[in-house]
Amino acid sequence: KKIIFIPNPLILKEANKFRKRERIILAVARLNFQKNIGLLIESFSKSIAIKNNWKLVILGNGEEKKILKRKCKKLNISKFVIFKGFVKKINNWYKKSSIFVLSSRFEGMPNALMEAIYFRIPVIGSNIPGIKFFIKNYFNGLLFINNNKDSLTHCINFLIKNKRKREKFSRNAYNNLKKVSNPILFCQSWKKLLDE
């Protein structure tokens, strides 16, 4: 009862019409235990993505990078999983990717998720606080059971098969983001809290 959740404010410019989307599933995260990229790699390998010529692009560095690369080699999917490390022009990847996945075991305020939504990428996230604040399942994105490989695989397959749903989810998520991250609402929430 003593916890008050106030989302980070965003000053959003209207998103432009972006370039043609490519068959890319994007992850933007530190490569560590929290972000659970190993689960994403396993789910990607089990999904229909590879036989449909999709790539998994992972932006970010971390202590698990070598472990994750070995996992890709063991699963024989190394040529379909691209580790880009730290990139300066991250917006270019948001603009051309078709699906965004945040596979975290736990989260606070997931800025990468907010960025993906802003760039109108349909999103998949684990059903945990922080992520659930932004995603309403099957309305503006997909939620999978936390740390569940089969559940995440199902979500990946669903979005690959359903282009219209991808477009609908991304549009709904963008409109919701404009509401919940409104700077005026942010200021009002803090003022109300400090006045109590």
Side-chain angles (χ1 to χ4, degrees):
K1 293 181 179 179
K2 294 182 179 180
I3 296 173
I4 304 295
F5 176 75
I6 301 175
N8 291 341
L10 285 178
I11 299 175
L12 296 176
K13 298 178 181 177
E14 283 299 316
N16 297 319
K17 297 274 185 179
F18 299 125
R19 70 184 76 175
K20 185 178 179 181
R21 301 285 184 180
E22 299 177 21
R23 294 187 176 191
I24 294 173
I25 297 172
L26 181 68
V28 179
R30 296 184 306 279
L31 307 184
N32 61 15
F33 175 82
Q34 175 196 352
K35 300 300 182 179
N36 209 7
I37 297 298
L39 179 82
L40 173 55
I41 289 170
E42 290 176 18
S43 298
F44 175 78
S45 73
K46 290 184 63 181
S47 75
I48 63 172
I50 292 173
K51 70 178 182 181
N52 286 280
N53 203 31
W54 284 65
K55 298 281 175 64
L56 173 60
V57 175
I58 301 168
L59 309 185
N61 287 314
E63 61 269 20
E64 291 191 352
K65 189 170 187 176
K66 289 182 180 178
I67 296 170
L68 295 171
K69 284 190 169 185
R70 285 199 297 268
K71 182 185 287 285
C72 291
K73 190 173 182 180
K74 184 178 179 180
L75 293 169
N76 198 29
I77 59 170
S78 294
K79 66 180 181 179
F80 296 97
V81 181
I82 302 166
F83 291 86
K84 298 297 291 186
F86 174 80
V87 297
K88 290 184 178 179
K89 295 184 178 180
I90 191 172
N91 290 1
N92 291 337
W93 286 103
Y94 283 125
K95 289 176 182 178
K96 64 184 178 182
S97 299
S98 292
I99 297 172
F100 178 87
V101 179
L102 187 59
S103 52
S104 304
R105 289 181 166 93
F106 54 91
E107 274 293 343
M109 176 60 65
N111 288 322
L113 179 68
M114 295 166 73
E115 290 168 355
I117 291 171
Y118 169 73
F119 282 101
R120 302 197 189 204
I121 311 174
V123 294
I124 299 170
S126 44
N127 62 344
I128 56 173
I131 295 176
K132 287 197 296 185
F133 178 78
F134 292 99
I135 301 177
K136 184 177 179 183
N137 205 22
Y138 287 95
F139 174 72
N140 62 0
L142 295 177
L143 293 168
F144 70 92
I145 300 167
N146 189 16
N147 202 32
N148 186 299
K149 180 170 50 181
D150 293 333
S151 181
L152 177 51
T153 302
H154 169 77
C155 291
I156 292 170
N157 288 343
F158 182 88
L159 285 187
I160 287 175
K161 292 176 184 176
N162 292 281
K163 184 178 180 182
R164 286 189 179 180
K165 290 292 187 183
R166 297 203 304 265
E167 293 170 350
K168 178 185 176 182
F169 291 171
S170 61
R171 182 171 60 251
N172 290 344
Y174 179 80
N175 290 334
N176 180 63
L177 182 67
K178 286 196 296 184
K179 292 178 185 176
V180 300
S181 296
N182 187 305
I184 295 172
L185 182 62
F186 172 82
C187 293
Q188 289 174 345
S189 298
W190 269 106
K191 186 176 185 303
K192 181 181 177 182
L193 177 64
L194 294 172
D195 287 343
E196 289 180 351

